[in-house]
Amino acid sequence: MKQIKEIAKILTQIDDADLMNAFLEDLLTPQEMEELCIRWKLITLLDDGVSQREIAKKLKVSIGTVSRGSRGYQYGNGGFKKILNKIKNSDIITE
């Protein structure tokens, strides 16, 4: 999808956290922002070895939501794991 590549290119060029936040808030609805945050938290918990049932309970989401996230984490294009490794190696600052 051409638009995804265009958005990805834009995102890689934003090096200011406040600008990125403003861009995402303009691009996404509040519900989409919330879903994005939940999805990311779900991925980080999976990476930490937390069980799917515990994640569902902690995030107050269905086990199906966690399962879909888990499939992306395990069988996706590897983006989640690459970013998580960059965070762990301090190539990306999350605070």
Side-chain angles (χ1 to χ4, degrees):
M1 184 183 279
K2 183 180 177 184
Q3 291 82 6
I4 288 294
K5 288 188 177 192
E6 181 179 349
I7 291 169
K9 197 170 196 177
I10 291 166
L11 293 174
T12 62
Q13 296 178 49
I14 300 173
D15 60 358
D16 177 275
D18 291 333
L19 177 57
M20 177 67 77
N21 191 53
F23 179 71
L24 290 174
E25 285 181 355
D26 288 346
L27 182 66
L28 303 170
T29 66
Q31 180 65 32
E32 290 167 335
M33 287 285 285
E34 183 177 338
E35 290 171 6
L36 182 66
C37 292
I38 289 170
R39 184 68 169 280
W40 180 246
K41 184 63 178 172
L42 184 156
I43 295 302
T44 61
L45 291 170
L46 286 169
D47 192 61
D48 288 341
V50 178
S51 76
Q52 290 189 22
R53 290 201 184 282
E54 287 180 61
I55 293 170
K57 185 177 180 180
K58 181 174 185 155
L59 299 180
K60 297 179 177 118
V61 297
S62 72
I63 195 71
T65 297
V66 179
S67 294
R68 282 189 296 281
S70 180
R71 277 194 300 277
Y73 174 76
Q74 292 179 332
Y75 307 113
N77 295 316
F80 286 140
K81 291 181 181 179
K82 288 177 185 172
I83 293 298
L84 289 162
N85 283 334
K86 283 183 166 277
I87 290 169
K88 289 174 187 172
N89 293 325
S90 299
D91 292 342
I92 297 176
I93 300 168
T94 59
E95 297 176 3

